Amino acid sequence: MTPPPPPPMPTGRFAPSPTGVLHLGNLRTALASWLSARAAGGRWIIRMEDVDGPRCRRDLGEAQLRDLEALGLTSDEPVLWQSGRRGAYRAVLEVLHEADRLYPCACTRKDLLKLASAPHAEDGLRPYPGHCRNRAWEGFDRALRLRLPEGPVAWQDRLLGSQEDDPAALTGDPLLFRRDGCFAYHLAVVVDDGAQGVTEVVRGADLRPVTATQIRLQEALGLPRPAYAHLGLVIAPDGSRLGKRGGALGLAELAARGVGAPEVVGWLGFTLGCLERPEPCAAADLIPRFDWTRVPKGEVRVPAPWAT
Ligand SMILES: [Zn+2]
């Protein structure tokens, strides 16, 4: 008998889009994923999700890496920029096409808006109703969607516990390739988590509704399912979402108000249940104190003096 393969190295990741400044919510996610990986004796990697066309900029990504480094968070591997991965994504589309899981979608943005009756359309998440499901294959130069199997997906969240979602009700068949030639977020994130051996995905609660859909795509590709943890969002003192109104509340803005990196790390560590009160510290000081059972589930409000 062959012995079972050794368990994979615990691997966490932080995967921002280089479209702006990392705000305190992004930084909290980065620190939590780093602490979780480090506390498990694992590795931690940074990936730049820059597939989304011209909004993504190399200089913004590099500024994000400098901010992470200022907090003591550096990638154990060279940073992966997804814009260099188009060949790999295309190969995966071919695998899915061979398995008859893809179909071309001819809907325009206007069609989709007309079809959308969902009141939560405000957050940009409208389930695709499957209009084009029975369209014949027209080649790889069309918008392509994944045909989801029916039924709900049950999964465990390190923070939120047992979850069950029906991806058809949340996203519908996800877009994997866009009419403009760009690979879509769902495809890139699932393929690269698999390729990089990621065992744990820590991210903001705003991405929780796409988890079941991404699990379906992992299954279609035969990829292992990582553990998930969805953190409550960080909101401004007035309750608004960071970056939407007012300042981005990034490190440079905070530094200009006299709040340095050790103070930011201490406050983030406090909001993650590692410290009894916010006090300046280094990220490494928090590793032995990190425990998912102590991380609060809800939203976190930025201290008022930091935002004014
Ligand atoms: Zn369509």
Side-chain angles (χ1 to χ4, degrees):
M1 271 195 30
T2 37
M9 175 76 157
T11 300
R13 51 78 156 174
F14 180 60
S17 293
T19 55
V21 172
L22 294 177
H23 58 55
L24 280 170
N26 306 130
L27 298 173
R28 183 169 183 259
T29 299
L31 180 63
S33 64
W34 184 87
L35 287 171
S36 184
R38 288 289 186 260
R43 65 193 183 117
W44 185 77
I45 52 183
I46 301 174
R47 183 171 75 222
M48 282 292 163
E49 302 204 326
D50 61 338
V51 284
D52 188 19
R55 289 200 313 131
C56 296
R57 280 171 32 195
R58 190 96 190 178
D59 59 324
L60 292 173
E62 274 156 11
Q64 292 181 346
L65 295 174
R66 284 193 296 276
D67 281 353
L68 292 167
E69 194 176 353
L71 300 189
L73 312 180
T74 52
S75 183
D76 292 338
E77 282 178 16
V79 173
L80 182 75
W81 294 73
Q82 290 188 321
S83 51
R85 298 268 299 151
R86 293 196 170 99
Y89 304 146
R90 168 66 194 243
V92 166
L93 286 183
E94 285 175 23
V95 168
L96 291 170
H97 172 54
E98 283 301 308
D100 196 26
R101 294 295 300 273
L102 298 181
Y103 63 88
C105 175
C107 299
T108 63
R109 207 177 160 72
K110 224 168 117 192
D111 293 335
L112 294 176
L113 285 173
K114 232 184 292 169
L115 291 167
S117 55
H120 56 278
E122 192 196 341
D123 60 10
L125 190 73
R126 302 178 191 91
Y128 176 70
H131 237 227
C132 301
R133 261 199 156 196
N134 297 317
R135 274 184 94 86
W137 182 252
E138 296 164 8
F140 285 100
D141 56 347
R142 299 286 190 273
L144 298 173
R145 289 187 185 271
L146 178 74
R147 195 177 285 112
L148 289 174
E150 279 183 21
V153 179
W155 49 282
Q156 283 293 323
D157 191 292
R158 290 233 155 121
L159 198 56
L160 308 173
S162 295
Q163 306 286 303
E164 188 177 276
D165 287 321
D166 183 356
L170 292 173
T171 66
D173 291 344
L175 193 67
L176 300 187
F177 185 68
R178 297 198 325 223
R179 187 187 310 272
D180 63 4
C182 287
F183 294 92
Y185 160 72
H186 292 300
L187 181 77
V189 71
V190 167
V191 169
D192 285 341
D193 280 342
Q196 295 190 288
V198 169
T199 63
E200 182 177 81
V201 172
V202 179
R203 57 190 182 185
D206 51 337
L207 286 170
R208 202 205 69 90
V210 303
T211 303
T213 301
Q214 294 182 353
I215 287 172
R216 286 297 193 213
L217 181 53
Q218 283 155 14
E219 290 169 351
L221 295 171
L223 294 171
R225 186 189 298 189
Y228 286 95
H230 289 93
L231 292 169
L233 299 184
V234 176
I235 53 175
D238 67 359
S240 64
R241 277 183 71 170
L242 294 186
K244 296 271 173 190
R245 271 192 287 151
L249 282 181
L251 283 192
E253 204 176 324
L254 290 168
R257 290 169 187 172
V259 182
E263 222 172 327
V264 172
V265 171
W267 180 74
L268 294 173
F270 165 68
T271 69
L272 291 169
C274 302
L275 297 173
E276 298 201 351
R277 67 191 72 82
E279 54 196 351
C281 70
D285 298 336
L286 301 172
I287 297 171
R289 298 155 182 244
F290 182 80
D291 180 346
W292 278 113
T293 64
R294 290 206 293 259
V295 179
K297 293 187 175 83
E299 290 180 334
V300 173
R301 237 169 241 253
V302 175
W306 288 14
T308 47

Short mmCIF file of all heavy atoms in Angstrom, two decimals, residues 103-108 111-112 115 128 130-133 135 145 179, ligand 1:
data_model
loop_
_atom_site.label_atom_id
_atom_site.label_comp_id
_atom_site.label_asym_id
_atom_site.label_seq_id
_atom_site.Cartn_x
_atom_site.Cartn_y
_atom_site.Cartn_z
N TYR A 103 -20.85 27.81 -22.29
CA TYR A 103 -21.72 28.22 -23.40
C TYR A 103 -21.51 29.71 -23.65
O TYR A 103 -21.13 30.46 -22.75
CB TYR A 103 -23.18 27.88 -23.12
CG TYR A 103 -23.82 28.56 -21.93
CD1 TYR A 103 -24.43 29.81 -22.06
CD2 TYR A 103 -23.82 27.95 -20.68
CE1 TYR A 103 -25.03 30.42 -20.97
CE2 TYR A 103 -24.41 28.56 -19.58
CZ TYR A 103 -25.01 29.79 -19.73
OH TYR A 103 -25.60 30.40 -18.66
N PRO A 104 -21.75 30.12 -24.91
CA PRO A 104 -21.56 31.53 -25.22
C PRO A 104 -22.76 32.35 -24.73
O PRO A 104 -23.89 31.88 -24.82
CB PRO A 104 -21.49 31.54 -26.75
CG PRO A 104 -22.24 30.33 -27.18
CD PRO A 104 -22.11 29.31 -26.09
N CYS A 105 -22.48 33.52 -24.21
CA CYS A 105 -23.54 34.41 -23.74
C CYS A 105 -23.55 35.65 -24.63
O CYS A 105 -22.53 36.33 -24.77
CB CYS A 105 -23.31 34.81 -22.29
SG CYS A 105 -24.49 36.03 -21.68
N ALA A 106 -24.68 35.89 -25.26
CA ALA A 106 -24.79 37.02 -26.19
C ALA A 106 -25.49 38.21 -25.55
O ALA A 106 -25.75 39.21 -26.22
CB ALA A 106 -25.54 36.58 -27.44
N CYS A 107 -25.80 38.11 -24.25
CA CYS A 107 -26.53 39.20 -23.59
C CYS A 107 -25.65 40.44 -23.50
O CYS A 107 -24.47 40.36 -23.15
CB CYS A 107 -26.94 38.80 -22.19
SG CYS A 107 -28.02 37.37 -22.15
N THR A 108 -26.22 41.58 -23.77
CA THR A 108 -25.52 42.84 -23.56
C THR A 108 -25.79 43.29 -22.13
O THR A 108 -26.67 42.76 -21.45
CB THR A 108 -26.03 43.92 -24.51
OG1 THR A 108 -27.42 44.14 -24.20
CG2 THR A 108 -25.90 43.49 -25.96
N ASP A 111 -29.35 44.16 -21.83
CA ASP A 111 -30.24 42.99 -21.67
C ASP A 111 -30.26 42.56 -20.21
O ASP A 111 -31.30 42.26 -19.65
CB ASP A 111 -29.71 41.78 -22.47
CG ASP A 111 -29.77 42.03 -23.97
OD1 ASP A 111 -30.59 42.85 -24.39
OD2 ASP A 111 -28.98 41.40 -24.70
N LEU A 112 -29.05 42.48 -19.61
CA LEU A 112 -28.95 41.95 -18.24
C LEU A 112 -29.64 42.89 -17.26
O LEU A 112 -30.27 42.44 -16.31
CB LEU A 112 -27.49 41.73 -17.86
CG LEU A 112 -26.79 40.63 -18.67
CD1 LEU A 112 -25.32 40.53 -18.29
CD2 LEU A 112 -27.46 39.28 -18.47
N LEU A 115 -33.26 42.25 -17.48
CA LEU A 115 -33.66 40.97 -16.87
C LEU A 115 -33.62 41.04 -15.35
O LEU A 115 -34.31 40.30 -14.66
CB LEU A 115 -32.72 39.86 -17.33
CG LEU A 115 -32.82 39.45 -18.80
CD1 LEU A 115 -31.63 38.59 -19.19
CD2 LEU A 115 -34.11 38.70 -19.05
N TYR A 128 -27.36 35.73 -12.93
CA TYR A 128 -27.61 35.59 -14.37
C TYR A 128 -28.71 34.55 -14.56
O TYR A 128 -28.60 33.43 -14.06
CB TYR A 128 -26.32 35.17 -15.09
CG TYR A 128 -26.55 34.93 -16.55
CD1 TYR A 128 -26.83 35.99 -17.39
CD2 TYR A 128 -26.52 33.65 -17.07
CE1 TYR A 128 -27.06 35.77 -18.74
CE2 TYR A 128 -26.75 33.42 -18.42
CZ TYR A 128 -27.03 34.49 -19.25
OH TYR A 128 -27.27 34.27 -20.57
N GLY A 130 -29.66 32.70 -16.97
CA GLY A 130 -29.46 31.52 -17.82
C GLY A 130 -30.07 31.63 -19.20
O GLY A 130 -30.30 30.62 -19.87
N HIS A 131 -30.27 32.86 -19.63
CA HIS A 131 -30.91 33.11 -20.92
C HIS A 131 -30.28 32.37 -22.10
O HIS A 131 -30.98 31.90 -22.98
CB HIS A 131 -30.81 34.62 -21.20
CG HIS A 131 -32.14 35.23 -21.41
ND1 HIS A 131 -32.43 36.07 -22.45
CD2 HIS A 131 -33.27 35.10 -20.71
CE1 HIS A 131 -33.67 36.45 -22.37
NE2 HIS A 131 -34.21 35.88 -21.32
N CYS A 132 -28.95 32.30 -22.10
CA CYS A 132 -28.25 31.76 -23.28
C CYS A 132 -27.82 30.31 -23.10
O CYS A 132 -27.06 29.79 -23.91
CB CYS A 132 -27.01 32.61 -23.56
SG CYS A 132 -27.39 34.34 -23.89
N ARG A 133 -28.29 29.66 -22.05
CA ARG A 133 -27.83 28.31 -21.70
C ARG A 133 -27.84 27.31 -22.85
O ARG A 133 -27.03 26.40 -22.87
CB ARG A 133 -28.70 27.76 -20.57
CG ARG A 133 -28.03 27.92 -19.23
CD ARG A 133 -28.64 27.00 -18.22
NE ARG A 133 -27.65 26.77 -17.17
CZ ARG A 133 -27.69 25.80 -16.30
NH1 ARG A 133 -28.68 24.94 -16.33
NH2 ARG A 133 -26.75 25.66 -15.41
N ARG A 135 -27.58 28.01 -26.10
CA ARG A 135 -26.91 28.48 -27.34
C ARG A 135 -25.83 27.51 -27.76
O ARG A 135 -25.10 26.98 -26.92
CB ARG A 135 -26.25 29.83 -27.08
CG ARG A 135 -27.14 31.02 -27.25
CD ARG A 135 -26.32 32.29 -27.08
NE ARG A 135 -25.85 32.78 -28.36
CZ ARG A 135 -26.57 33.57 -29.13
NH1 ARG A 135 -27.76 33.96 -28.76
NH2 ARG A 135 -26.10 33.99 -30.29
N ARG A 145 -19.83 31.53 -20.37
CA ARG A 145 -20.30 31.25 -19.00
C ARG A 145 -20.15 29.78 -18.67
O ARG A 145 -20.21 28.92 -19.55
CB ARG A 145 -21.78 31.65 -18.85
CG ARG A 145 -21.99 33.14 -18.86
CD ARG A 145 -23.43 33.51 -18.54
NE ARG A 145 -23.62 34.94 -18.69
CZ ARG A 145 -23.43 35.82 -17.70
NH1 ARG A 145 -23.08 35.41 -16.50
NH2 ARG A 145 -23.59 37.11 -17.92
N ARG A 179 -16.53 39.40 -23.36
CA ARG A 179 -16.57 39.80 -24.77
C ARG A 179 -15.36 40.65 -25.16
O ARG A 179 -14.87 40.59 -26.28
CB ARG A 179 -17.85 40.62 -24.93
CG ARG A 179 -18.28 41.06 -26.28
CD ARG A 179 -19.47 42.01 -26.13
NE ARG A 179 -20.49 41.43 -25.26
CZ ARG A 179 -21.46 40.64 -25.69
NH1 ARG A 179 -21.56 40.37 -26.96
NH2 ARG A 179 -22.34 40.15 -24.86
ZN ZN B 1 -26.71 35.53 -22.10
#
